[in-house]
Amino acid sequence: MAVFASTILFMTGGCAVANEGGAVPGLEKFHTALAALEDGRRTRPVSILHLGDSHISLDHLTGEMRKLWNERYGNAGRGLQPGVPYQYYSVQGYRISMSGEWEVKSSLPADAHGAFGIQGFVASAARADAEMVLDADEPFDGVEVEVAGAPDTGYLLLAIDDAAPLRLSTYRKTPGLVTLYVPAAQARHLRLSPVGNGGPVRVLGWGVRRSGAKEGGVRYDSYGVVAARLDIVSRWRDDIADAQIERRRPDLIILGYGTNEGFDDALDLAAYRKRLAGLIDRLRRIAPQASIALLGAFDGAREGGVSDSGAGEACGDGWVTPPKLGKLRDLQREVSAEKGAWFWDGEAAMGGRCAIHRWVTQDPPRAWPDHVHLRPSGAREMGDKLWRALMAGTD
């Protein structure tokens, strides 16, 4: 099962409520950064980092938000997960393929271990015939590659359009993050591969930079892992993840976890509260300049009647809401208020309890029959609603 999110906001009928000074509580730093970009006091792109589960990974919801930010402020590029980390991986505006002997490891399993960063995956290879290829719909001005470097790691070959490949070292005296950046001139094609006569390379992610239509622009990095829970973060290497976040200098961090936990009848809510509060505290230490947003879990339901621990509500046709889903959402709201984060109620934005069943059964449907995942049209609709809530008070 894959799940959704959490966000911090004050809601009235699904809308953000600004305080008397016009600022939305919890989003002040983000809105200040956007205002500085718009009036020319800032030339560095506004940076947004969005971490979450399958609602994030499928790129329909996030793609809609990215389009709206790019239309308004300009496109400063984006980061991507390494190669094709899982089946059906697809990102809007790019065609990405992977060939050869790559080993892709995911941080999703509870016993996962490795040099994971915020992308949630590591793609490793040593042979020269292992390739990642990217073709972009729009030209870009720079390429960045994040790798886990170590004393035994080798070299990468990076080819941009038809230029001769560049040889890039991933060596690091002590294991940790290595960030490689290469400028480009209105390029559209990338090819990345190990040199093949040295040690292995471990790719965490890659991405492109663009000069925004306006000075600066917005860079929106969204990294989702299907079926992820909040505790996936505990399996990322602290030194690598912290360095990645610090390098991005995000003005807004969005956390999109919660649905998968809400379907777990055995979930320890007290332990979840502690974990969520601890993550927010950690993010504030790493990125004190950022606003923190929690996306409250979307509505969901399951078949089979009432479980041993009861059910949230009967939605019709044998579908019921999980008993922990609403409690988890309330907990997300409470922690957001305690920590000064912004919260957005995904269930309310869908239309309230059992909205998922209506979305599945209406014509045309906006959600898939599993009563968890949104169809592309429904995801784009929710992306538009979330974007407008995040942007309330900026006009």
Side-chain angles (χ1 to χ4, degrees):
M1 180 187 303
V3 186
F4 209 59
S6 335
T7 308
I8 304 174
L9 157 75
F10 292 83
M11 303 290 299
T12 299
C15 300
V17 179
N19 61 25
E20 292 183 0
V24 175
L27 293 178
E28 296 93 341
K29 295 176 181 178
F30 175 52
H31 287 177
T32 296
L34 291 175
L37 186 69
E38 274 198 309
D39 64 20
R41 290 180 290 112
R42 172 173 173 151
T43 57
R44 179 172 60 87
V46 168
S47 175
I48 301 166
L49 175 61
H50 193 164
L51 306 173
D53 50 35
S54 57
H55 293 282
I56 311 307
S57 67
L58 298 177
D59 207 33
H60 297 299
L61 180 148
T62 50
E64 181 66 18
M65 296 169 68
R66 185 173 289 106
K67 181 192 75 167
L68 293 168
W69 270 315
N70 292 166
E71 287 175 349
R72 179 163 172 176
Y73 298 102
N75 183 356
R78 67 170 296 178
L80 298 161
Q81 288 163 312
V84 183
Y86 51 86
Q87 192 177 19
Y88 307 123
Y89 176 73
S90 176
V91 289
Q92 297 182 23
Y94 301 87
R95 291 165 305 286
I96 302 172
S97 61
M98 201 173 188
S99 61
E101 294 185 10
W102 289 99
E103 178 189 14
V104 179
K105 294 178 65 176
S106 170
S107 58
L108 181 65
D111 61 350
H113 63 278
F116 297 111
I118 59 177
Q119 293 91 346
F121 296 90
V122 178
S124 303
R127 293 169 53 99
D129 59 356
E131 285 190 341
M132 296 180 186
V133 177
L134 177 149
D135 289 286
D137 291 347
E138 298 180 10
F140 49 85
D141 307 309
V143 181
E144 58 188 35
V145 183
E146 291 182 316
V147 300
D152 66 335
T153 54
Y155 289 83
L156 280 168
L157 287 180
L158 175 65
I160 302 176
D161 283 348
D162 296 324
L166 298 173
R167 182 184 172 102
L168 306 172
S169 173
T170 73
Y171 169 86
R172 199 174 191 274
K173 186 175 181 180
T174 58
L177 177 69
V178 174
T179 301
L180 306 168
Y181 177 73
V182 178
Q186 294 293 289
R188 290 178 181 266
H189 176 80
L190 296 178
R191 187 173 73 254
L192 189 69
S193 63
V195 168
N197 59 359
V201 295
R202 302 182 182 98
V203 181
L204 305 176
W206 55 345
V208 300
R209 298 186 190 178
R210 289 193 174 95
S211 299
K214 297 182 180 180
E215 192 67 34
V218 167
R219 170 172 171 153
Y220 175 30
D221 289 356
S222 55
Y223 302 124
V225 178
V226 175
R229 300 185 179 203
L230 184 70
D231 61 7
I232 193 174
V233 175
S234 68
R235 296 186 285 279
W236 301 345
R237 274 258 303 269
D238 286 354
D239 61 321
I240 289 178
D242 291 1
Q244 290 179 307
I245 295 171
E246 288 174 353
R247 187 181 70 80
R248 283 165 174 75
R249 297 173 64 188
D251 299 286
L252 173 65
I253 300 174
I254 308 173
L255 299 177
Y257 303 100
T259 303
N260 290 304
E261 291 93 329
F263 274 73
D264 180 2
D265 291 352
L267 178 68
D268 184 334
L269 289 170
Y272 185 87
R273 173 189 287 274
K274 183 177 180 180
R275 190 178 305 122
L276 178 58
L279 177 58
I280 293 174
D281 288 342
R282 176 185 170 191
L283 292 174
R284 290 205 188 283
R285 289 193 299 270
I286 301 168
Q289 76 286 344
S291 295
I292 309 292
L294 286 177
L295 306 182
F298 284 11
D299 187 46
R302 64 188 179 195
E303 249 183 328
V306 178
S307 68
D308 292 341
S309 53
E313 188 168 329
C315 299
D317 302 323
W319 290 90
V320 297
T321 60
K324 289 289 179 73
L325 186 58
K327 295 176 181 178
L328 177 107
R329 193 181 299 109
D330 291 342
L331 183 152
Q332 292 173 327
R333 188 194 308 274
E334 292 167 6
V335 173
S336 299
E338 292 168 4
K339 294 296 181 179
W342 184 84
F343 178 79
W344 188 69
D345 189 329
E347 180 191 74
M350 291 180 67
R353 190 65 56 85
C354 289
I356 189 68
H357 189 59
R358 297 191 294 274
W359 282 40
V360 169
T361 56
Q362 67 186 181
D363 186 16
R366 288 180 285 172
W368 295 104
D370 65 2
H371 283 64
V372 173
H373 296 96
L374 308 182
R375 292 176 183 264
S377 61
R380 287 191 293 268
E381 177 182 333
M382 293 302 289
D384 178 81
K385 289 182 177 181
L386 174 55
W387 185 87
R388 295 180 186 281
L390 285 165
M391 296 297 291
T394 63
D395 292 328

